[in-house]
Amino acid sequence: MLFNSIEFMFFLPIVYLLYWFVTNKKLSLQNILLLVSSYIFYACWDWRFLFLLMFSTFLDYFCGIRIDKEQNQFKRKLWLFLCVGINVGFLGFFKYYNFFIDNFVLLIESFGFQAHISSLQIILPVGISFYTFHGLSYVIDIYKRKISSEKNFVEYSLFVSYFPLLVAGPIERATHLLPQIKKPRFFNREQSVSGLKQILWGFFKKVVIADNCAFFVNQIFDNSAEQNGSTLFLGAVLFAFQIYGDFSGYSDIAIGTSKLFGIDLLKNFNFPYFSRDISEFWRRWHISLSSWFRDYLYIPLGGSRGGTWMKVRNTFIIFIVSGFWHGANWTFIVWGALNAIFMMPAMISGTNRHYLDVVAQGKIFPTMKEILQLFSTFTLTVFAWIFFRAENLNHALNYIKGIFTKSFFSIPEFELKTIGILITFFMVVEWFGREQDYAIDKFFLNKKYLRYTFFYLIIILVFWFGTDKQQFIYFQF
């Protein structure tokens, strides 16, 4: 079930009405309703994988209790390794089996031997990377004595399977979401209105920006050998806006939807294209994943405590693993490694945490220095996105080679007037709303009639451009 589908347009109001008007007097009934609704939501993709989700949920629930109760450190570690091993094993099989088999065959054949190992036609369960990380963070936190195990199976199951975040995040933590699930929730008009506005802005990002960019991006990348340099460059730029509109749009819809039920989810994007260096970009892009790797991989590896070499090594590890998390393709690994390389100057010089505020905070326009910083950071990000979007490494390298030709200075082969106006409008609204939770949270138009005119304009644009429904990019991860 897509957020931008007719089915969801019926599903959400029905669940909302039952939640606030039928089960509103008892917390346990509200949680059961949300859990059943979440399973229905997931089963609409492929009901067979619902059993995998349930098994993963029970595994983490059971192992969490065993780790919490066990006093013997060896046995605690044994339960942790068992839980992590099974979870990673399922993720590895469904997501990476063919990647390792294909590369193993290539390696064997490079030595002149014949390897007769077949890959499998494996369907990747939707959201497996996300709900696996939910469960892993939960059992690791119990092992580290940061939290106690959850005894209520329904409440824990809802933490893992909560439908707004189930298939593409944000990647939640038990310390943040479980307490909200366990306490009574009461209707809050202000929170619901904020949720509806965030849903609306999320749909604008997805339907108007991302899907319109996708039309050009797909044509350019799929026929890159026939395009001139300027068209290839614009294709990469448009993909940068496509993936941002697509993924942050999903996050806005998820967070806004959750607000309708009185539950706040973690912020996942914080205006990343207004970053002054790559370090700041990664504090603002896919925040829930970046912080997950920081807490459960970077810091356990030693973080920044062991000197320059340790920081460099650990940075490369988390970015390469993050790239591999996105998909079983060398393009994602190179994408991760490139971002690690881009991080190195700030990391080595110790300036990687220099920009913790908002660019041009309290001002309308940035300084010339800030403009150059924004432009250079965006350019580096666009370059790395080429590998993310390409079918394989050869495609990515040929694409980049095609940009750096004399034809870079020629006129692009596509009419981009409409999408150019839409992106400009989008970025202006984002710029003026960059100090808020989301761009139209506390709107900058003072007059009520101007605010309503703006909202109606967004609604009209969403419906006008919403005829060509496309799946969210991050569903494949």
Side-chain angles (χ1 to χ4, degrees), residues 378-421:
F378 181 71
T379 302
L380 291 175
T381 305
V382 167
F383 181 79
W385 282 136
I386 294 173
F387 287 89
F388 196 97
R389 176 58 179 80
E391 297 296 324
N392 50 58
L393 287 180
N394 191 50
H395 182 204
L397 294 173
N398 285 332
Y399 192 102
I400 294 168
K401 182 180 178 181
I403 292 176
F404 294 103
T405 60
K406 292 180 180 180
S407 63
F408 178 81
F409 300 100
S410 61
I411 299 174
E413 298 175 1
F414 288 88
E415 173 55 56
L416 301 172
K417 183 178 180 181
T418 301
I419 190 61
I421 293 172

Side-chain angles (χ1 to χ4, degrees), residues 166-311:
L166 178 56
V167 297
I171 300 172
E172 272 290 347
R173 307 290 182 88
T175 52
H176 180 253
L177 185 54
L178 265 175
Q180 297 185 77
I181 291 174
K182 296 180 70 65
K183 72 178 182 181
R185 300 179 289 275
F186 304 99
F187 181 78
N188 183 313
R189 183 181 180 278
E190 184 178 343
Q191 187 181 33
S192 293
V193 170
S194 177
L196 288 171
K197 289 194 296 183
Q198 193 161 5
I199 291 171
L200 177 61
W201 191 238
F203 273 115
F204 176 83
K205 286 180 176 180
K206 166 59 180 171
V207 175
V208 179
I209 301 300
D211 288 356
N212 276 278
C213 286
F215 174 79
F216 296 102
V217 170
N218 293 340
Q219 291 190 63
I220 294 170
F221 272 83
D222 291 347
N223 304 282
S224 57
E226 304 168 10
Q227 312 297 336
N228 60 34
S230 60
T231 303
L232 293 174
F233 175 73
L234 282 174
V237 171
L238 288 174
F239 179 69
F241 286 109
Q242 179 196 354
I243 194 168
Y244 174 56
D246 191 282
F247 193 23
S248 71
Y250 180 94
S251 293
D252 280 336
I253 297 170
I255 294 168
T257 298
S258 187
K259 286 179 180 178
L260 298 180
F261 300 101
I263 297 175
D264 290 319
L265 300 181
L266 292 170
K267 188 174 184 177
N268 214 19
F269 288 85
N270 191 18
F271 308 97
Y273 289 154
F274 298 142
S275 300
R276 288 153 287 187
D277 61 21
I278 292 294
S279 300
E280 184 182 9
F281 174 84
W282 280 105
R283 285 192 294 273
R284 295 175 175 274
W285 179 276
H286 203 172
I287 300 167
S288 63
L289 180 67
S290 300
S291 62
W292 199 99
F293 279 120
R294 178 197 66 204
D295 295 341
Y296 299 106
L297 185 59
Y298 183 74
I299 292 175
L301 285 170
S304 303
R305 297 189 299 271
T308 302
W309 161 244
M310 182 78 77
K311 288 191 292 185

Side-chain angles (χ1 to χ4, degrees), residues 323-373:
F324 200 43
W325 177 90
H326 282 84
N329 195 320
W330 284 104
T331 55
F332 295 115
I333 296 174
V334 171
W335 170 76
L338 272 176
N339 278 281
I341 292 171
F342 296 157
M343 286 273 286
M344 284 303 102
M347 184 68 67
I348 294 172
S349 63
T351 60
N352 55 301
R353 295 190 62 80
H354 186 67
Y355 298 113
L356 300 177
D357 58 344
V358 178
V359 61
Q361 191 164 9
K363 301 176 183 177
I364 296 178
F365 300 109
T367 63
M368 183 56 66
K369 177 184 176 182
E370 289 170 333
I371 291 173
L372 292 174
Q373 289 173 324

Side-chain angles (χ1 to χ4, degrees), residues 42-220:
Y42 191 80
C44 287
W45 297 101
D46 193 323
W47 63 269
R48 295 170 298 177
F49 291 122
L50 186 58
F51 297 104
L52 181 63
L53 171 62
M54 290 178 172
F55 174 80
S56 178
T57 301
F58 178 77
L59 172 71
D60 297 334
Y61 171 79
F62 179 77
C63 289
I65 292 176
R66 296 300 305 174
I67 293 169
D68 197 21
K69 285 184 176 180
E70 188 60 63
Q71 297 303 314
N72 183 288
Q73 188 61 22
F74 174 77
K75 291 182 178 178
R76 295 181 80 245
K77 191 172 291 187
L78 193 64
W79 279 109
L80 175 68
F81 286 168
L82 175 68
C83 184
V84 172
I86 294 175
N87 274 296
V88 173
F90 275 120
L91 181 62
F93 173 75
F94 282 104
K95 195 167 184 175
Y96 303 108
Y97 175 84
N98 285 338
F99 174 81
F100 285 115
I101 288 297
D102 292 343
N103 281 277
F104 177 73
V105 169
L106 288 174
L107 179 64
I108 293 296
E109 290 179 348
S110 69
F111 287 100
F113 299 101
Q114 290 295 318
H116 302 285
I117 307 175
S118 301
S119 57
L120 302 176
Q121 297 297 318
I122 299 174
I123 301 173
L124 179 66
V126 173
I128 187 172
S129 298
F130 292 90
Y131 68 70
T132 297
F133 272 33
H134 287 156
L136 288 178
S137 66
Y138 169 76
V139 294
I140 293 171
D141 284 350
I142 292 174
Y143 177 79
K144 292 181 176 180
R145 304 287 191 192
K146 291 182 177 180
I147 59 173
S148 299
S149 61
E150 177 54 53
K151 307 303 188 295
N152 188 308
F153 185 67
V154 170
E155 291 176 352
Y156 176 74
S157 299
L158 181 57
F159 157 70
V160 175
S161 309
Y162 185 39
F163 76 86
L165 55 77
L166 178 56
V167 297
I171 300 172
E172 272 290 347
R173 307 290 182 88
T175 52
H176 180 253
L177 185 54
L178 265 175
Q180 297 185 77
I181 291 174
K182 296 180 70 65
K183 72 178 182 181
R185 300 179 289 275
F186 304 99
F187 181 78
N188 183 313
R189 183 181 180 278
E190 184 178 343
Q191 187 181 33
S192 293
V193 170
S194 177
L196 288 171
K197 289 194 296 183
Q198 193 161 5
I199 291 171
L200 177 61
W201 191 238
F203 273 115
F204 176 83
K205 286 180 176 180
K206 166 59 180 171
V207 175
V208 179
I209 301 300
D211 288 356
N212 276 278
C213 286
F215 174 79
F216 296 102
V217 170
N218 293 340
Q219 291 190 63
I220 294 170

Side-chain angles (χ1 to χ4, degrees), residues 23-36:
T23 65
N24 58 310
K25 298 201 180 196
K26 197 166 184 183
L27 177 63
S28 60
L29 291 179
Q30 284 185 318
N31 288 337
I32 290 171
L33 172 67
L34 288 180
L35 180 59
V36 171

